[in-house]
Amino acid sequence: MKKVAFFVLLLFFSARMYCQNLAVNPGFEDWEKVTRPAGWSHVEKCTKDSNEVHSGKYSCKHTGLSSTSDLGQNIAVTPGVDYTLSLFYKTGVPSEGNGSRIRCYWKDSGGNSISDPATDDIMRPGKYLKSSVWAQFSITVKAPETASTFYLEVRTNSNSMIYWDDFLFCETAPLSIKDESNLTPSVFPNPTHDFIMLRNISGSICAELIDVNGLECSRYDTRSSDETSVPTELLKPGIYFLRIVYPKRTIVIKIIKE
């Protein structure tokens, strides 16, 4: 059962913005094995833990022994759009090191890291995260014009231990902003096997299917139709992102290929 604190947080975000969580397995509820949370592309010394959780059944117990340990995943983004990153953490005992930090980057369409003076210090702050009780960390950043991917990474330093839970990464878009047709796009089936059907997309420019590494799998021109079909039969099972682009905004929807 979800804790009241996280439920209140969701209400806070829902009341202020259209916010679909783009992070994969953000609450560490799904595990490939006890040292491998599903959906996280880079995992070092993260262990499934059921004793210290902020919500749900599990958290990530992240340990830095003789060196630092990283935990990260790639999330598709749209240039020029504001995004909010939020997470919860709690320092483990014993933990004699400096603690943990976020170490996030923007990447271009080729997977190369981008230096962005406006957000570099925000996404890689010098302050360490240390708290004996569950605490929240949150930032809001704008994707630079060459960004295709946000690389979400947290780092635990040597001789430190921390618990991570309830990550949230979403577009910071006010509820008052609608797509040009004033209709909500319909995407189904999801999970999918052979295809994805898109409806109510009048006014959109294109639809892009992107993998968890931020690489474009396919792109479709949608300017002359209210609906289209996106083939998925050749895709490997896993998590993808469908990006529906309008002249003034972009909607990103998480897709599961079974």
Side-chain angles (χ1 to χ4, degrees):
M1 184 176 66
K2 294 293 182 181
K3 291 187 178 180
V4 174
F6 189 57
F7 179 69
V8 171
L9 174 68
L10 291 178
L11 289 178
F12 172 79
F13 278 106
S14 299
R16 296 172 69 100
M17 65 181 72
Y18 169 82
C19 185
Q20 179 191 10
N21 195 352
L22 302 178
V24 179
N25 193 19
F28 301 99
E29 297 303 291
D30 299 319
W31 293 77
E32 297 176 8
K33 54 184 180 180
V34 294
T35 57
R36 184 81 190 185
W40 293 80
S41 55
H42 185 79
V43 181
E44 296 177 344
K45 300 182 180 68
C46 172
T47 305
K48 182 179 182 180
D49 190 88
S50 60
N51 295 317
E52 292 286 353
V53 296
H54 180 257
S55 75
K57 294 182 179 179
Y58 306 111
S59 67
C60 164
K61 180 182 178 181
H62 203 205
T63 306
L65 297 177
S66 58
S67 61
T68 59
S69 300
D70 297 332
L71 175 69
Q73 63 173 270
N74 293 285
I75 304 175
V77 296
T78 302
V81 172
D82 289 341
Y83 291 90
T84 294
L85 168 65
S86 170
L87 58 88
F88 284 85
Y89 64 95
K90 180 180 179 181
T91 304
V93 179
S95 184
E96 300 173 352
N98 290 325
S100 304
R101 293 187 287 182
I102 68 163
R103 303 289 294 171
C104 301
Y105 295 85
W106 302 110
K107 293 184 180 181
D108 61 22
S109 58
N112 303 303
S113 297
I114 301 170
S115 178
D116 179 43
T119 60
D120 282 350
D121 290 341
I122 300 173
M123 300 196 304
R124 296 185 294 279
K127 182 179 179 181
Y128 290 94
L129 302 177
K130 297 186 75 172
S131 175
S132 60
V133 297
W134 283 103
Q136 181 188 8
F137 176 86
S138 179
I139 60 172
T140 297
V141 289
K142 182 184 293 292
E145 291 304 316
T146 55
S148 175
T149 304
F150 180 84
Y151 181 58
L152 191 171
E153 182 179 89
V154 289
R155 173 174 294 177
T156 297
N157 282 7
S158 58
N159 299 317
S160 299
M161 182 196 305
I162 200 166
Y163 298 93
W164 303 111
D165 206 352
D166 293 331
F167 281 72
L168 177 70
F169 184 81
C170 66
E171 179 182 336
T172 314
L175 279 172
S176 58
I177 296 179
K178 304 291 184 180
D179 62 78
E180 281 66 18
S181 66
N182 201 33
L183 294 174
T184 300
S186 175
V187 178
F188 64 93
N190 189 16
T192 180
H193 290 280
D194 300 324
F195 70 94
I196 305 169
M197 178 62 68
L198 282 64
R199 289 181 178 170
N200 294 338
I201 57 172
S202 177
S204 63
I205 299 172
C206 65
E208 304 166 338
L209 194 61
I210 301 165
D211 66 17
V212 293
N213 295 313
L215 301 179
E216 185 178 288
C217 300
S218 58
R219 178 186 176 97
Y220 299 88
D221 190 323
T222 59
R223 286 173 292 186
S224 60
S225 63
D226 183 53
E227 66 178 56
T228 191
S229 177
V230 177
T232 59
E233 69 269 21
L234 299 181
L235 297 177
K236 295 180 180 179
I239 302 294
Y240 295 84
F241 298 96
L242 182 67
R243 186 156 58 189
I244 306 174
V245 181
Y246 293 85
K248 295 182 180 180
R249 73 162 305 188
T250 299
I251 295 175
V252 180
I253 301 172
K254 187 187 301 181
I255 301 295
I256 299 175
K257 168 62 189 298
E258 293 185 334

